Amino acid sequence: MIDLYLADTSIPVFLGKPSARQAAMIDCWEDVAATMLAGLTPGRPIAECVKEGIATFAKHGFSDFSLPLFGHGLGTCARTRPFLNLRSDDVVQPGMVVALGTHLYVPDAGGMRLEFPAMITERGAEPLVETPPKVHRVAA
Amino acid sequence: MDASRVREEGTVGTLTEFWFDGMTEAIRETLARLGAADGRVGLDLSHPGAAQIAPGMLTASEYLDLQSKLPGAKLENGTRWIDDVMLIKSPAEIARLKQAALVSDIGFRAGLAAVRPGVTENHVAGVIEQAIRDHGSTWAWAITGARKSGADHGPDFSAGSPSRPPTAHSGATSSSSSTCTR
């Protein structure tokens, strides 16, 4: 928090070597995060972008372990519009700042959560952090 | 104390001060003076569908208090109106958000460097918090190790986090969060 403004950054770290199941989860999670980041372009209804995220979880077979929630607005508060879920009636606009979220939790296998600050410009969503929205690996 | 700070740091035009739990009475007096006590009153309640309320939103008891003090008013959820004002960020706001993000990068890198077998997630959370505070953050909520998230059979609150924090081990994921929110 800087001058009351938040970053709300959360990026997963994986320690060791993933199992096949975990590797599939990581592929899915990174695909969803990339899809959502690429999809937030000005003029698009937020709900339409959210459908792409949900479809990407489905493509990888992880719908049952994901949340249909992909983040929220960001400022001095993180419970603010635009909410990135199917109920949103907001349209992506330049000047919005969001914390993009990606949630995948598989019991006994792993959990990954993204909170990723990004600003909407005329060109789309620009990350405010340098750290990429990937699962970062650490050797065991 | 809060009023002087708001006066100094905020951009508010008219500031109505109150003491202790006098907020609802101050609202009643202000609306009565403006002749608006029987009008539509937007309140900072909660976002429809949101699972949590944000800091600053009215409590249920404050709502009931206002309801009894303003019997002629039509009380409505005004969060949408407030969000309309906050939806597009000004250049000054974006500068602060960028700085906060930069500091969270520093926190993430510090946390990442601290992750190794045998280190507790609670320790990593502390490393992140120290790094971001050392770079100007005035708040932190590092969720690393805070609770069970499906990552593995880690402990929940009742099992003792942070007194018995989970230990980083091979094959586990952990979200490093910094400069976060409640």
Side-chain angles (χ1 to χ4, degrees):
Chain A
M1 177 194 282
I2 299 292
D3 283 351
L4 301 180
Y5 284 80
L6 302 163
D8 199 11
T9 306
S10 178
I11 297 173
V13 173
F14 193 98
L15 177 63
K17 183 174 162 46
S19 66
R21 175 79 161 158
Q22 289 169 331
M25 288 168 56
I26 292 170
D27 285 348
C28 170
W29 187 92
E30 291 183 344
D31 193 8
V32 173
T35 299
M36 289 303 298
L37 197 58
L40 292 171
T41 53
R44 293 191 75 200
I46 296 267
E48 191 180 297
C49 305
V50 167
K51 283 178 187 167
E52 290 181 350
I54 292 171
T56 308
F57 274 127
K59 183 180 79 181
H60 288 267
F62 283 109
S63 296
D64 290 347
F65 305 101
S66 65
L67 296 183
L69 312 172
F70 296 90
H72 47 74
L74 189 62
T76 54
C77 171
R79 302 278 173 261
T80 184
R81 282 175 34 223
F83 288 102
L84 280 72
N85 62 49
L86 289 175
R87 291 182 184 168
S88 173
D89 58 5
D90 281 316
V91 171
V92 180
Q93 298 177 58
M96 286 177 166
V97 174
V98 301
L100 180 64
T102 301
H103 300 264
L104 177 60
Y105 309 108
V106 180
D108 301 329
M112 285 168 281
R113 169 185 185 144
L114 180 71
E115 303 273 357
F116 193 72
M119 177 174 65
I120 309 299
T121 72
E122 296 291 348
R123 297 178 298 282
E126 286 187 5
L128 293 183
V129 287
E130 293 172 0
T131 308
K134 304 276 188 188
V135 176
H136 294 250
R137 313 291 184 90
V138 175
Chain B
M1 188 169 71
D2 287 343
S4 63
R5 196 182 67 189
V6 171
R7 194 174 287 112
E8 191 175 315
E9 298 177 359
T11 55
V12 65
T14 304
L15 184 66
T16 302
E17 296 187 32
F18 62 89
W19 186 77
F20 196 47
D21 64 349
M23 182 180 74
T24 54
E25 180 58 22
I27 291 171
R28 189 202 64 75
E29 284 175 9
T30 302
L31 291 176
R33 191 172 65 250
L34 296 171
D38 293 334
R40 289 172 74 199
V41 178
L43 303 175
D44 197 5
L45 297 178
S46 67
H47 291 96
Q52 295 165 289
I53 64 166
M57 285 175 166
L58 284 189
T59 65
S61 62
E62 287 165 344
Y63 178 86
L64 292 174
D65 205 14
L66 279 172
Q67 201 174 35
S68 67
K69 284 187 165 73
L70 297 166
K74 186 169 187 294
L75 302 180
E76 297 184 22
N77 190 345
T79 48
R80 193 166 183 90
W81 306 335
I82 296 166
D83 272 1
D84 281 343
V85 176
M86 301 196 298
L87 198 57
I88 304 301
K89 301 297 185 280
S90 71
E93 289 184 291
I94 287 171
R96 285 161 174 77
L97 286 158
K98 282 183 172 174
Q99 181 62 22
L102 184 117
V103 170
S104 77
D105 267 328
I106 293 169
F108 178 82
R109 286 195 285 268
L112 184 63
V115 173
R116 57 186 174 274
V119 168
T120 64
E121 292 190 3
N122 201 36
H123 172 77
V124 176
V127 169
I128 294 168
E129 176 159 353
Q130 178 163 15
I132 63 173
R133 286 189 185 276
D134 282 350
H135 287 83
S137 178
T138 50
W139 195 35
W141 184 56
I143 63 169
T144 298
R147 59 183 167 178
K148 189 168 165 180
S149 67
D152 60 6
H153 292 292
D156 57 17
F157 285 120
S158 63
S161 180
S163 60
R164 284 177 52 204
T167 301
H169 59 271
S170 179
T173 53
S174 175
S175 292
S176 289
S177 180
S178 52
T179 325
C180 202
T181 62
R182 87 177 198 181

